[in-house]
Amino acid sequence: MKITFVANAAWYLSNFRSSTVRAFSKRFYVSCLYPKGDSGKSLISLGAQIQPFILDPTSTNLLREFKSLLCLTWYVARQRPNMVFSFNPKTNLYSLITCWLLRIPCVPNVSGVGVASQLEGVVGKIYQILVGFFYKHAFFVFFQNRNDYQDFIQAGWVKPSQAEIIPGSGVDLLRFRPCEKSNSPIRFLMASRLIKSKGVVEYIEAARRLVANDVGCEFILAGVKDSSSRAVSNDLLEGLKTENRIRFLGHIEDMPSLLNTVDCVVLPSYYPEGVPKSLIEAAASGKIIITTDTPGCRDTVIEGENGFFVPPKSIDGLCEGMQKVLGLSDGEMRRMKHASRLLAENLFDEKTVIQRYFNAVELLEVKRGGNKGQSDEVVAGEREGVDSAYKCTTREVV
């Protein structure tokens, strides 16, 4: 059986889906499609074939987008996979269109609705029409948070019988695990794409305020510089080289080791998230979390139990959240870190996510075999697992 994974960047598949690609490569012929210009060498080491295609993840030029769609359709038509799994808003839509034309089952993963949902005018209207039509023709749809799931159901874009919520991209609980760290000094970490809507500017300004007040803590920023119009300015990032107790590390390959050196992970995002990978990894590593009470982000925090919520775009609120962490006793800090790990163990194990993907393939095989009753059992089994994790509150899980 041939399986194709489509994403808007090779690094996305390498960083967020490597375990899934590796697991599938052991059983199927796997190919990964991503935009030209990215290096997919790490995907080859996972056992996958790679195929770059023409795509600008941030473009809204209709002619350029049509060219990208044709390019993707051409490569998928050549490979003729039995099923296509896609990620990210733009590649989800283009994969759905391609698979509809070629009559190939497509399973998109709604990892947040992205900036495409904020498009206005003619382009925005076209996007809404296309999403409304083609998601209805998906073989199955995975959602990473309940807000997006409910929005798509209410809009009539997806039927409940063809969709379920999975725990983000999951996390390797053996690779990311708690490690004893000295409580002095307290270190905060923000690791994300370096775009404004992730709250990078607010994080830097809040860090500067706390350093100026001599609160005795350190701040780390990690991530790859972005070249789009949404990017944090290069001057701001370069200026951190001369800052006292604020460090910019750029891209980090060994995230578990970096997490072992910090106490709290911060993501003051107001971006349309799925469930942020950095927060899932933080929870698995037993870190206190500070984030916004927004879709996706809120799934990783129980206020006062393993972290704190702060208002979006609020430097004052972010400072207050960090000061709460600084005011914790050693015992309170240990308790909150343990609560994060427990949350990850109960909700975010990547083995659960990988099994959901295998279930989708099994469902396809059952339907092709014409066994309707068995296919219903597969769907029911998937949904039972989701209900056990998501119908209870996060507090009850912890």
Side-chain angles (χ1 to χ4, degrees):
M1 180 172 281
K2 295 181 179 180
I3 302 295
T4 293
F5 293 93
V6 185
N8 66 1
W11 67 262
Y12 176 90
L13 293 171
S14 297
N15 291 354
F16 297 163
R17 302 292 166 178
S18 60
S19 296
T20 304
V21 172
R22 183 185 295 109
F24 268 72
S25 295
K26 292 178 180 178
R27 293 174 55 178
F28 309 116
Y29 176 91
V30 173
S31 59
C32 294
L33 275 65
Y34 55 85
K36 289 183 176 180
D38 287 356
S39 173
K41 292 182 179 179
S42 60
L43 297 172
I44 297 177
S45 67
L46 299 176
Q49 301 295 312
I50 60 173
Q51 179 58 68
F53 68 100
I54 299 172
L55 178 74
D56 181 348
T58 62
S59 169
T60 57
N61 181 284
L62 293 180
L63 184 59
R64 187 179 302 168
E65 296 311 297
F66 183 66
K67 182 179 180 180
S68 297
L69 178 59
L70 287 179
C71 186
L72 177 61
T73 303
W74 166 254
Y75 284 121
V76 174
R78 286 178 58 191
Q79 295 178 355
R80 295 302 305 186
N82 299 94
M83 178 169 279
V84 172
F85 292 107
S86 65
F87 310 91
N88 321 114
K90 181 179 286 190
T91 43
N92 277 347
L93 178 58
Y94 290 2
S95 295
L96 285 167
I97 296 173
T98 292
C99 291
W100 180 77
L101 292 170
L102 300 175
R103 298 297 185 264
I104 296 173
C106 183
V107 181
N109 183 306
V110 181
S111 52
V113 293
V115 295
S117 63
Q118 302 167 351
L119 293 172
E120 299 178 346
V122 175
V123 175
K125 187 64 175 178
I126 293 174
Y127 174 78
Q128 295 290 328
I129 292 173
L130 291 176
V131 168
F133 178 82
F134 286 104
Y135 267 90
K136 292 176 182 177
H137 293 83
F139 179 80
F140 206 78
V141 184
F142 290 126
F143 290 88
Q144 292 196 16
N145 65 65
R146 185 164 293 279
N147 293 81
D148 292 339
Y149 172 84
Q150 292 174 340
D151 287 346
F152 273 62
I153 296 294
Q154 291 173 1
W157 295 345
V158 173
K159 296 179 181 178
S161 60
Q162 68 170 135
E164 70 164 313
I165 306 167
I166 58 176
S169 54
V171 63
D172 185 340
L173 294 174
L174 294 178
R175 183 168 176 247
F176 292 87
R177 53 187 177 183
C179 179
E180 196 67 31
K181 175 202 168 288
S182 170
N183 286 333
S184 181
I186 301 296
R187 290 193 183 96
F188 296 89
L189 167 68
M190 178 176 180
S192 76
R193 280 195 294 161
L194 300 178
I195 57 177
K196 297 172 184 175
S197 54
K198 292 284 187 176
V200 178
V201 176
E202 288 81 0
Y203 174 73
I204 293 173
E205 291 304 316
R208 285 172 171 168
R209 287 190 189 180
L210 293 177
V211 168
N213 291 334
D214 195 26
V215 293
C217 57
E218 296 178 355
F219 300 88
I220 301 171
L221 175 65
V224 178
K225 293 181 180 179
D226 194 272
S227 58
S228 71
S229 59
R230 303 173 292 169
V232 176
S233 75
N234 189 58
D235 290 342
L236 178 60
L237 297 174
E238 288 298 314
L240 295 179
K241 292 180 179 180
T242 60
E243 295 276 357
N244 182 33
R245 292 188 298 191
I246 304 175
R247 290 185 291 153
F248 172 56
L249 303 182
H251 175 65
I252 299 297
E253 290 287 347
D254 188 1
M255 187 56 68
S257 294
L258 177 59
L259 284 167
N260 288 341
T261 68
V262 306
D263 300 280
C264 178
V265 173
V266 183
L267 185 67
S269 176
Y270 43 96
Y271 179 85
E273 302 279 1
V275 178
K277 185 73 168 181
S278 64
L279 299 186
I280 296 176
E281 292 174 347
S285 301
K287 304 304 171 184
I288 298 170
I289 296 172
I290 294 176
T291 190
T292 52
D293 188 9
T294 53
C297 293
R298 66 168 61 105
D299 294 348
T300 64
V301 168
I302 309 158
E303 176 70 29
E305 294 287 334
N306 74 315
F308 304 101
F309 289 122
V310 296
K313 303 181 182 182
S314 173
I315 298 173
D316 291 340
L318 190 51
C319 285
E320 291 176 9
M322 292 176 176
Q323 287 170 334
K324 288 180 181 179
V325 174
L326 294 170
L328 294 173
S329 67
D330 291 348
E332 290 171 331
M333 188 166 289
R334 284 195 296 270
R335 176 185 61 79
M336 293 186 74
K337 289 180 176 181
H338 177 70
S340 276
R341 174 65 184 187
L342 191 59
L343 182 68
E345 290 176 351
N346 282 284
L347 291 184
F348 298 118
D349 189 345
E350 71 174 8
K351 293 179 182 178
T352 301
V353 177
I354 294 172
Q355 185 56 51
R356 292 289 188 270
Y357 275 86
F358 279 129
N359 287 350
V361 177
E362 292 169 4
L363 180 60
L364 173 63
E365 292 174 332
V366 169
K367 286 189 174 182
R368 283 182 170 178
N371 193 330
K372 178 64 167 61
Q374 188 178 347
S375 69
D376 289 341
E377 290 179 7
V378 173
V379 173
E382 291 176 346
R383 209 162 293 285
E384 182 180 355
V386 174
D387 288 347
S388 66
Y390 285 94
K391 279 192 174 180
C392 57
T393 65
T394 317
R395 180 175 294 276
E396 287 171 336
V397 169
V398 171

